Amino acid sequence: EIEVGDWSSDVCSSDLWACAHLLHTVEHFVWSISEGHLVTALETVPWWRRFLTLAAAGVIGAVSWVLLHRTGPGPVSTEQAVAGRRMPVLRTIWHAATQIIIIAMGASLGREVAPREAGAALSGWISDRFGLNEEDRRILVACGAGAGLAAVYGIPLSGIFFALEALLATFSKRSLASALAVSGIAVFVSTGWARPEVYYRMPELVSSPALVAWAVLCGPAIGLAGALFGEAVKRAEQKRPTTPEVEIGRASCRERV
């Protein structure tokens, strides 16, 4: 299984390398970025260009996902893949590429989701080619998803814990060894020995009694608001319309917001 994991990590790393280059290529084409961060480039772009670009991202995402759903089976989530469902590799890559393109255009989506799904799909495909049993396949699919998270940010330990705790929800020597091998090799292939530049920089905060009091008072209110929002999103997802015309309008409006 470790040998198959090595194959999986190499393939996932190559796919993640392709995802990163697609992201940077679209950013360069849309925002004229040659170096530096996207936020820095956006500060020099007129507001109307940002608005039109986000509107275009909504249309591109809506059209792509409507076609994806209407021409065959829809995407399979990482959790469903770990549970045993097969992820169509080409359609999953189509789904992931759509996410990467609209993220590069400014859509507010997590950049780690697409590599996770692509890594899980490719790991499942490799597991089927090597004829692994269901339990070993389940472990390797989770490790592939963890490798996607690990490689995109250069964080192998987070990829390991994501595979073991969030997806497998079990711990064994075999799953730990597999996750360690796949995430470690994926990060090494995608970033090398050099530590990548920090993605998110937080301002330095100095603790004070006022800050502690604010956290104590506002923390529960913010947590409750987040929980209520999450429940509202779940209810909206269950009742959402599925006709193509409504899907296109909904996705376009979401990107504009």
Side-chain angles (χ1 to χ4, degrees):
E1 182 181 339
I2 297 299
E3 180 181 354
V4 180
D6 293 341
W7 277 93
S8 176
S9 60
D10 291 340
V11 173
C12 290
S13 301
S14 301
D15 175 72
L16 296 170
W17 179 87
C19 290
H21 278 267
L22 175 61
L23 178 72
H24 296 316
T25 299
V26 176
E27 286 181 344
H28 176 74
F29 177 77
V30 174
W31 304 109
S32 302
I33 298 176
S34 57
E35 60 182 9
H37 292 280
L38 176 61
V39 175
T40 304
L42 290 177
E43 293 175 349
T44 63
V45 175
W47 68 268
W48 56 266
R49 182 176 174 183
R50 294 195 297 267
F51 176 83
L52 292 177
T53 302
L54 286 174
V59 173
I60 292 172
V63 171
S64 178
W65 281 317
V66 167
L67 291 175
L68 179 63
H69 282 272
R70 290 179 66 86
T71 57
V76 176
S77 69
T78 303
E79 291 77 9
Q80 292 172 331
V82 173
R85 288 189 61 182
R86 266 51 180 177
M87 301 180 78
V89 176
L90 294 180
R91 300 184 70 82
T92 301
I93 293 176
W94 176 359
H95 177 54
T98 301
Q99 295 180 57
I100 293 171
I101 291 172
I102 65 173
I103 287 172
M105 297 176 71
S108 181
L109 297 174
R111 61 185 297 173
E112 76 281 354
V113 178
R116 281 202 324 241
E117 294 176 344
L122 291 171
S123 295
W125 179 79
I126 291 173
S127 300
D128 293 336
R129 299 289 80 78
F130 279 86
L132 297 184
N133 60 47
E134 287 299 319
E135 180 60 25
D136 290 342
R137 184 184 187 279
R138 179 172 176 267
I139 292 174
L140 205 59
V141 169
C143 291
L149 171 64
V152 74
Y153 291 123
I155 45 175
L157 290 180
S158 296
I160 294 170
F161 285 114
F162 175 76
L164 297 179
E165 295 186 356
L167 295 179
L168 293 174
T170 58
F171 181 84
S172 66
K173 293 181 179 179
R174 184 171 58 174
S175 60
L176 175 60
S178 300
L180 180 63
V182 175
S183 290
I185 295 174
V187 172
F188 176 73
V189 172
S190 61
T191 62
W193 290 109
R195 183 67 181 172
E197 184 180 358
V198 177
Y199 283 103
Y200 305 109
R201 297 183 182 275
M202 298 297 294
E204 183 177 355
L205 297 177
V206 179
S207 179
S208 65
L211 182 61
V212 173
W214 182 91
V216 171
L217 295 176
C218 296
I222 295 173
L224 178 61
L228 294 175
F229 178 78
E231 291 297 323
V233 170
K234 291 180 181 178
R235 289 194 297 268
E237 286 290 329
Q238 294 172 355
K239 299 179 180 179
R240 74 182 188 274
T242 57
T243 58
E245 294 80 4
V246 177
E247 284 289 323
I248 292 175
R250 183 172 65 91
S252 179
C253 290
R254 181 177 66 241
E255 295 306 328
R256 292 179 188 180
V257 174

